[in-house]
Amino acid sequence: MGSHPILDKISQRMHKLENDGLLRQRKLSKADKNQHIIDFSHNDYLGLANAAEMVDAVTQGATIYGVGSKASPLVSGYSQAHLQLEQRLCELTGHEAGLLFCSGFSANQALIKTLFDANDVVIADKLIHASVIDGVKDSGAVFRRYKHNDLDHAEQLLKRNPNSVLMTESVFSMDGDTAPLFELKRLCEQYNSWLVVDDAHGFGVPQTPKDNSQQHKPEQDKSQQFSSQQNNSQQNSFQQTHSQQKKRLCDIQVVTFGKALGCQGAAILGPKAVIDFMVAQSRQYIYSTALSPVSAYLALTAVNLTQSQPHRLEALNANIGAFRQACIKHNIAITDSTTAIQPVIIGDSDKTLLIASKLYDAGFAVGAIRPPTVPAGQARLRITINAQHNKNDIAQLVDVLAALI
């Protein structure tokens, strides 16, 4: 290819990224095949990606449906596998309807670009995912951000912009902390706004939402608050059967299958009117080949395994506790996260890369996260715990990490 201004721009940008220590490149994963590497970098929190039941489901799904959708959902790509997965997701979450996509990024983009325009206001947590940020900007909607998990700031924006939409993640992908969903739902109801939750890192690995109502008192009538008794009795609303009739904590929920479910794909869950509108109007849905029926069949298997094999979640939670206790013992500074995502903030990008490289040489794969994914000066090791780790794996990782920091 000859000289061209775009190539010149690419060369200059790549050179700057490399000099700044921010150049991103693919690496061929060897952790699965290398018995000497213990992987603390992926999002397969429950260990379902390699489960025997999942491997069998691939063959079963392919035998029943074939391996490809062959068309968009509105032509002939919508199969019984897709319908059954949507129905099961709605049964577990209490939503009226669902719509499947090939990734969480495409699901968020489709949702936002289809529903919102210049007449709408979208309020989002400062640490919301890039797919939401890009989607809102592309939609033309007015975009307002509140300080991370800051209820007072969120309420200020809702008060100025009633009848709007508030978006948050349930579990934040780089920090591992959780959104105050009870309080956000109250505020949204108070200001007649929708709450949309990106549940990518929360679905399948439920935590009981915390109720911090005593710490935050909305300006308006407290009679709109739920009673503390109701809050204490309500367990995780994202992993419940519809027959329990427990109040959902969001109006629209985006779930992905590539984290705790160990496979691929995503779904938007919400009111039937919203889903019907998206089927009719979403360009991302209309003009894309449907999610493979094998992927849908596999995701349904994974969803059912989260219900029938609670020991996976129990093992995950035990391992999270073991990691945190070991870090405290070795005086390693950790965050308040109680989820599978356990960041260790290093600060400097080059140092973060160096420590991650030395950990790999010692037999441990961890994520090295740098700006712009995280704010400048907050480069970190993103350590993810899963149900298949054992106490010895965790103890060895922390021993080596303590020596490197």
Side-chain angles (χ1 to χ4, degrees), residues 15-61:
H15 183 70
K16 185 177 188 312
L17 288 171
E18 187 170 14
N19 285 343
D20 293 343
L22 300 177
L23 182 62
R24 301 179 183 184
Q25 296 174 302
R26 294 182 296 178
K27 294 186 297 183
L28 189 63
S29 176
K30 300 178 181 179
D32 288 341
K33 297 180 180 180
N34 190 336
Q35 299 300 316
H36 301 293
I37 298 295
I38 302 172
D39 199 341
F40 284 89
S41 67
H42 62 65
N43 299 321
D44 183 23
Y45 304 132
L46 296 177
L48 289 175
N50 295 313
E53 298 93 334
M54 297 285 280
V55 174
D56 291 341
V58 173
T59 302
Q60 294 166 5

Side-chain angles (χ1 to χ4, degrees), residues 14 32 76 164 168 198 218 228 230 246 265 272-273 318 331 375 394 398:
M14 293 289 280
D32 288 341
S76 59
S164 59
T168 183
D198 182 342
S228 60
Q230 186 177 14
K246 293 180 181 175
K272 186 176 184 298
N331 295 315
I394 293 168
V398 175

